[in-house]
Amino acid sequence: MTEMTQMAVPVDDSTTIQNLYQDPYPIYAKFRKQRPVIKVNSVNRIMLTKASDTKYVKDNPVLFSSNDPNTPMERAFRAHTLMRKDGEEHSRERNAMASAFGGRAIKQCWEPIYRQIAYDYVTRLPKGEVVDLFPALAGPFAARCLTHLLGITEASDDDMQRWSQVLIDGAGNFGWKDELFAPCDAANIEMDELFRQKSSEYKKEPNASALSVMVNADSPIPESQIFANIKIAIGGGINEPRDALLTILYGLLTNPDQKAEVVKNELWGQAFEEGVRWVAPIQVSSRLVTEDTEIRGYHIPKGEVVMTVQASANWDEDEIEDGHLFNALRDRIDHQSFGNGPHFCQGKHVARRMIAEIMLPLLFERFPNMRITDPDEVKFYGFGFRGPLNLSVILE
């Protein structure tokens, strides 16, 4: 097809950023049906909502570069992070801490620690009382586990959660509001100070943590990029397992038949995969178009930015039946919540071990009759990242 016969990408002027934060799924359903390639002016991106298109983009990093020059991420993190890099540069930074996320480290180092953390945090929950599991369990558990993996155990659970949220808010600040960047600047100063202190210690006494591995490499990447790597892990490494855990619990507790089957047959892995498919913790990603191309017959010029909406891809009617429903008993499908291509989520196996193999079995063993006080009060929120803001349960 020549450029003369290509169609211009339709434009959406009505969808606001707040619409996307509140409830993007009806918007994505409409886009999938009517305009699967559409420029949404409020975020200044061409949204792709069909699974085949999002996968195509992620699998072609030469044509669709991660180096989006208009992303707020660099401003929020005060660094050009590996999330916005491609090719050898991306691989070098990703591989710099890969051993800390590998199977051997998970089994030998992190799993015993995570099991003890889970036990400590679950056993302190009060039986017979109403508890909001977001602040009481999911957030602190994710934070404490991550401090060990990254090598910054001096950071408190509160510090880790605060740093993560301000980085997320800054990276998703597509409206470029100064008030969202100010907390990022303060958090960056705090994190850099801790990272420098710990880097000095690890040069004397190394361990398996990501920070130690990076500072002790034979040919280490620059300090600025070491710190940026740790910040990327803080930004995603708390909200992903936290939101996944809360989403899975919501799905199981609002579907008691599924819960009974999952508990009876220990289908924790299936429940994990379905939870992250149903509400993807990381909902969207941006890619810079490096040369004129087309998608579904629409002309996409060089320099445009496309946004792959994996949240929508996971509900695509062409790929999954009743994708809008949580069903932990469905046959496994290939979802896109952890991405694909070179930027496939490095922390997937850590998160799966934390939640599917450690936390969920322990939680239901201790509180077999746990129930949600009011499902209608649970509020899911977020555009770039999404999950429940609360989950009040009675622990029985």
Side-chain angles (χ1 to χ4, degrees):
M1 181 179 290
T2 66
E3 185 174 328
M4 293 297 293
T5 61
Q6 291 174 346
M7 298 177 288
V9 174
V11 175
D12 174 272
D13 284 317
S14 62
T15 300
T16 67
I17 292 178
Q18 190 59 29
N19 294 152
L20 296 167
Y21 270 90
Q22 291 288 349
D23 187 7
Y25 286 100
I27 298 169
Y28 298 152
K30 181 179 69 173
F31 287 169
R32 285 195 304 274
K33 184 177 181 180
Q34 300 175 0
R35 295 179 171 180
V37 180
I38 185 168
K39 182 158 188 177
V40 179
N41 277 340
S42 62
V43 295
N44 195 29
R45 304 286 192 277
I46 296 175
M47 281 192 172
L48 308 175
T49 51
K50 296 290 286 183
S52 58
D53 298 336
T54 58
K55 186 177 188 305
Y56 166 69
V57 167
K58 294 287 189 67
D59 284 341
N60 289 275
V62 175
L63 182 56
F64 301 100
S65 170
S66 297
N67 189 19
D68 173 5
N70 299 314
T71 178
M73 179 175 284
E74 185 168 351
R75 171 64 183 86
F77 284 73
R78 299 203 305 193
H80 188 43
T81 74
L82 81 165
M83 296 297 292
R84 299 273 73 89
K85 296 179 180 180
D86 299 304
E88 185 176 341
E89 188 179 19
H90 167 259
S91 296
R92 182 166 184 251
E93 292 192 20
R94 181 183 173 98
N95 291 338
M97 60 178 179
S99 65
F101 292 82
R104 177 179 296 180
I106 293 173
K107 184 174 182 179
Q108 296 181 356
C109 298
W110 314 133
E111 182 175 349
I113 293 172
Y114 292 177
R115 287 193 181 278
Q116 185 61 52
I117 294 171
Y119 177 82
D120 292 343
Y121 282 38
V122 169
T123 54
R124 73 187 186 189
L125 295 173
K127 285 187 175 181
E129 295 186 18
V130 176
V131 174
D132 183 350
L133 291 181
F134 184 113
L137 180 67
F141 172 64
R144 187 52 26 203
C145 289
L146 191 61
T147 63
H148 287 272
L149 174 65
L150 300 182
I152 50 173
T153 53
E154 289 78 2
S156 70
D157 294 352
D158 288 343
D159 283 340
M160 290 290 286
Q161 292 178 87
R162 175 172 55 85
W163 291 341
S164 178
Q165 194 58 53
V166 298
L167 290 174
I168 288 170
D169 291 343
N173 184 17
F174 292 99
W176 291 81
K177 298 177 180 178
D178 291 338
E179 60 268 27
L180 292 180
F181 288 133
C184 293
D185 293 336
N188 273 291
I189 292 171
E190 295 173 15
M191 287 184 283
D192 289 349
E193 182 178 353
L194 175 60
F195 300 167
R196 287 196 180 93
Q197 171 196 328
K198 296 304 297 180
S199 295
S200 178
E201 294 177 13
Y202 289 139
K203 288 177 182 178
K204 299 174 184 176
E205 297 184 19
N207 63 19
S209 69
L211 182 55
S212 179
V213 166
M214 287 191 286
V215 300
N216 287 296
D218 292 337
S219 179
I221 61 177
E223 179 186 81
S224 62
Q225 300 314 118
I226 291 176
F227 290 5
N229 269 2
I230 298 296
K231 291 171 188 176
I232 283 292
I234 291 174
I238 291 180
N239 74 290
E240 287 187 55
R242 177 199 68 201
D243 294 350
L245 174 59
L246 294 172
T247 296
I248 295 162
L249 288 172
Y250 177 87
L252 291 175
L253 295 176
T254 54
N255 293 276
D257 291 345
Q258 292 181 40
K259 175 203 150 187
E261 193 73 14
V262 167
V263 172
K264 177 183 177 182
N265 296 300
E266 299 184 337
L267 304 177
W268 307 114
Q270 283 187 216
F272 174 82
E273 296 294 342
E274 176 64 358
V276 298
R277 178 209 65 81
W278 185 50
V279 180
I282 298 180
Q283 299 251 302
V284 300
S285 304
S286 294
R287 294 294 185 267
L288 175 69
V289 181
T290 60
E291 60 182 75
D292 288 0
T293 187
E294 71 171 59
I295 296 176
R296 293 184 182 268
Y298 292 102
H299 175 59
I300 314 290
K302 176 181 178 179
E304 272 284 7
V305 176
V306 295
M307 177 171 274
T308 61
V309 186
Q310 44 265 17
S312 175
N314 288 348
W315 288 25
D316 189 344
E317 296 79 3
D318 290 341
E319 306 290 331
I320 182 172
E321 185 177 356
D322 294 329
H324 63 292
L325 300 177
F326 176 91
N327 181 3
L329 307 180
R330 74 168 77 242
D331 292 336
R332 181 171 178 174
I333 65 163
D334 292 328
H335 62 75
Q336 297 186 29
S337 293
F338 293 105
N340 49 283
H343 283 266
F344 182 82
C345 179
Q346 196 165 35
K348 173 189 175 177
H349 299 296
V350 175
R352 185 183 172 98
R353 187 70 58 97
M354 287 171 59
I355 297 170
E357 299 185 25
I358 297 175
M359 181 52 76
L360 286 172
L362 177 62
L363 202 53
F364 280 102
E365 178 183 10
R366 185 166 179 83
F367 305 111
N369 298 313
M370 175 173 50
R371 64 185 189 275
I372 294 180
T373 56
D374 185 353
D376 293 336
E377 288 186 352
V378 179
K379 180 177 175 59
F380 284 78
Y381 188 78
F383 168 43
F385 302 83
R386 190 170 184 86
L389 296 181
N390 60 296
L391 189 69
S392 291
V393 300
I394 299 175
L395 296 172
E396 294 181 341

